């Protein structure tokens, strides 16, 4: 089995999970090759089964594909960023600093983007944010983030691909939407494989 399929194996649920998944993603592994191998191995039926965790969110970047799961531990997802899509959604005003309902660790396997972190002097859903860091992250770099922390990914190099290890949800979903269709999932799988096979994206 490849490194993506086994990424969450060996995680000890009696210990803090975020540090463990962050360290798992820091292993000296050819994540680009392993991600391509695993995504290519998934059938449409696999994608549909894994997509039950996802509601389709049409107005955000990146596009997200769940590629592995471990009960009680979490999910592995692959994100595909598109620079043109980012700017289109930015102009529409649908992108902004946000938090996730799952803590997660991420690693860039191809490309780059700018990553911003924020302090929140308000509440979770009525935030008063101040930016505390802004850095350019490139292939091989990554980070872990707790679910309640606000952050923002911007200005991705085209066809940037990341792998994320997500922990179980800390809070319920605000919006329940249907999962993506089989056709949408198959197209996203193919787009991820195309991105991983292409020349590295230009840095931001």
């Amino acid at each position: 089995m490849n490194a993506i399929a086994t990424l969450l194996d060996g995680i000890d649920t009696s210990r803090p999970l975020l540090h463990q998944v962050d360290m798992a993603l820091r292993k000296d592994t050819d994540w680009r090759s392993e991600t391509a191998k695993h995504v290519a191995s998934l059938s449409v039926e696999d994608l549909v089964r894994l997509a039950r965790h996802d509601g389709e969110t049409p107005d955000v970047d990146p596009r997200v594909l769940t590629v592995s799961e471990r009960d009680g531990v979490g999910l592995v997802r692959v994100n595909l960023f598109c620079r043109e899509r980012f700017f289109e959604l930015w102009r529409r005003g649908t992108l902004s600093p946000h938090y996730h309902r799952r803590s997660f660790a991420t690693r860039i396997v191809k490309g780059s983007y700018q990553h911003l972190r924020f302090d929140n002097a308000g509440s979770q859903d009525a935030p008063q944010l101040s930016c505390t860091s802004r850095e350019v992250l490139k292939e091989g770099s990554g980070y872990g983030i707790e679910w309640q922390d606000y952050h923002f990914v911007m200005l991705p190099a085209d066809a940037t691909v990341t792998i994320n290890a997500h922990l179980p949800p800390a809070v319920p979903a605000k919006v329940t939407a249907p999962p993506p269709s089989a056709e949408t999932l198959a197209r996203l799988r193919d787009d991820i494989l195309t991105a991983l096979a292409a020349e590295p994206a230009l840095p931001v």
Side-chain angles (χ1 to χ4, degrees):
M1 296 185 71
N2 62 58
I4 302 298
T6 60
L7 179 62
L8 298 176
D9 291 352
I11 299 294
D12 182 353
T13 57
S14 69
R15 296 169 46 224
L17 295 181
L18 183 57
H19 175 71
Q20 293 183 71
V21 297
D22 187 29
M23 294 308 295
L25 283 172
R26 292 175 187 269
K27 289 180 180 176
D28 185 18
T29 298
D30 184 350
W31 290 111
R32 183 171 174 177
S33 173
E34 291 296 312
T35 300
K37 186 190 309 181
H38 183 71
V39 171
S41 75
L42 297 172
S43 67
V44 173
E45 291 75 18
D46 292 329
L47 298 174
V48 169
R49 173 178 53 81
L50 291 163
R52 72 185 186 278
H53 299 289
D54 304 305
E56 185 170 8
T57 307
D59 295 328
V60 297
D61 190 57
R63 295 154 66 201
V64 179
L65 188 70
T66 301
V67 299
S68 184
E69 63 183 337
R70 287 292 180 273
D71 288 343
V73 177
L75 311 171
V76 179
R77 288 172 165 159
V78 177
N79 290 354
L80 176 61
F81 295 81
C82 171
R83 193 171 179 87
E84 182 179 348
R85 178 183 172 92
F86 172 86
F87 281 115
E88 177 186 345
L89 296 174
W90 179 259
R91 286 190 293 269
R92 284 194 219 164
T94 65
L95 303 178
S96 64
H98 56 273
Y99 69 92
H100 295 257
R101 69 192 192 103
R102 298 172 181 265
S103 300
F104 69 92
T106 190
R107 187 177 181 96
I108 297 177
V109 299
K110 181 197 169 195
S112 60
Y113 56 59
Q114 293 189 23
H115 184 237
L116 286 69
R117 292 180 183 259
F118 299 85
D119 274 344
N120 181 11
S123 67
Q124 204 62 40
D125 294 323
Q128 298 176 25
L129 302 179
S130 57
C131 185
T132 57
S133 69
R134 177 173 180 164
E135 58 184 339
V136 175
L137 299 179
K138 300 181 180 180
E139 184 173 324
S141 61
Y143 55 90
I145 192 165
E146 298 286 357
W147 73 268
Q148 70 272 20
D149 292 341
Y150 272 81
H151 80 137
F152 187 40
V153 170
M154 60 185 295
L155 300 175
D158 198 39
T160 290
V161 179
T162 66
I163 51 173
N164 295 346
H166 290 256
L167 303 187
V171 292
K174 286 186 181 180
V175 178
T176 302
S181 68
E183 293 77 14
T184 296
L185 292 165
R187 186 167 57 251
L188 177 53
R189 177 194 58 192
D190 293 346
D191 289 348
I192 288 169
L193 291 172
T194 298
L196 289 170
E199 290 300 312
L202 296 174
V204 294

